Amino acid sequence: QVQLIESGGGLVQAGGSLRLSCAQSGRTFTSYTMGWFRQAPGKEREFVAAINWNGASTYYADSLKGRFTISRPNAKNTVYLQMNSLKPEDAAVYYCAAGAWNTIVEQNQGDYWGQGTQVTVSS
């Protein structure tokens, strides 16, 4: 079993930055691709970014390239999402997920999910 716990969300002004964290416990951290997703009120869940088991490969939603960065220093069993130049439309609940690369990136699904962390961006 894998447990994922997100943190780092909060209220930020437009143009500001936040770093989200997702701490993983249970199975071996490097067994999984890790992904970030988000869901705004009234909208479907949206893929944000993914990183493979050793951090060598990353993948981003086209609309977020250049502003968001995903990383995973494996010694900490944590994956991060650095979000810069935040916009009001980035406001959502952000979820991390663990799974196979195809599951995360191509199917936009996950085998395991965290509980989410709220990001609010004021204009």
Side-chain angles (χ1 to χ4, degrees), residues 61-83:
D62 287 343
S63 61
L64 301 175
K65 288 179 181 177
R67 294 196 299 123
F68 288 17
T69 303
I70 189 171
S71 62
R72 64 183 300 174
N74 285 336
K76 294 187 175 182
N77 284 3
T78 300
V79 62
Y80 299 100
L81 183 68
Q82 178 67 42
M83 307 186 294

Side-chain angles (χ1 to χ4, degrees), residues 37-88:
F37 296 80
R38 67 185 185 184
Q39 188 167 21
K43 295 187 177 181
E44 294 187 353
R45 186 178 64 207
E46 175 186 20
F47 169 80
V48 173
I51 189 165
N52 78 326
W53 69 276
N54 65 357
S57 296
T58 58
Y59 188 79
Y60 296 90
D62 287 343
S63 61
L64 301 175
K65 288 179 181 177
R67 294 196 299 123
F68 288 17
T69 303
I70 189 171
S71 62
R72 64 183 300 174
N74 285 336
K76 294 187 175 182
N77 284 3
T78 300
V79 62
Y80 299 100
L81 183 68
Q82 178 67 42
M83 307 186 294
N84 298 327
S85 302
L86 283 163
K87 305 174 181 180

Side-chain angles (χ1 to χ4, degrees):
Q1 190 72 328
V2 172
Q3 293 80 42
L4 303 173
I5 300 176
E6 302 97 333
S7 61
L11 173 64
V12 63
Q13 287 188 333
S17 298
L18 279 176
R19 188 178 78 159
L20 305 183
S21 301
C22 174
Q24 187 258 357
S25 61
R27 299 284 294 274
T28 304
F29 184 59
T30 54
S31 298
Y32 298 99
T33 287
M34 300 297 294
W36 285 97
F37 296 80
R38 67 185 185 184
Q39 188 167 21
K43 295 187 177 181
E44 294 187 353
R45 186 178 64 207
E46 175 186 20
F47 169 80
V48 173
I51 189 165
N52 78 326
W53 69 276
N54 65 357
S57 296
T58 58
Y59 188 79
Y60 296 90
D62 287 343
S63 61
L64 301 175
K65 288 179 181 177
R67 294 196 299 123
F68 288 17
T69 303
I70 189 171
S71 62
R72 64 183 300 174
N74 285 336
K76 294 187 175 182
N77 284 3
T78 300
V79 62
Y80 299 100
L81 183 68
Q82 178 67 42
M83 307 186 294
N84 298 327
S85 302
L86 283 163
K87 305 174 181 180
E89 52 263 41
D90 293 320
V93 178
Y94 282 72
Y95 299 90
C96 71
W101 178 266
N102 289 346
T103 301
I104 299 286
V105 173
E106 298 184 11
Q107 301 175 20
N108 290 170
Q109 298 291 331
D111 295 329
Y112 303 96
W113 292 88
Q115 81 290 349
T117 186
Q118 177 72 52
V119 171
T120 304
V121 184
S122 63
S123 57

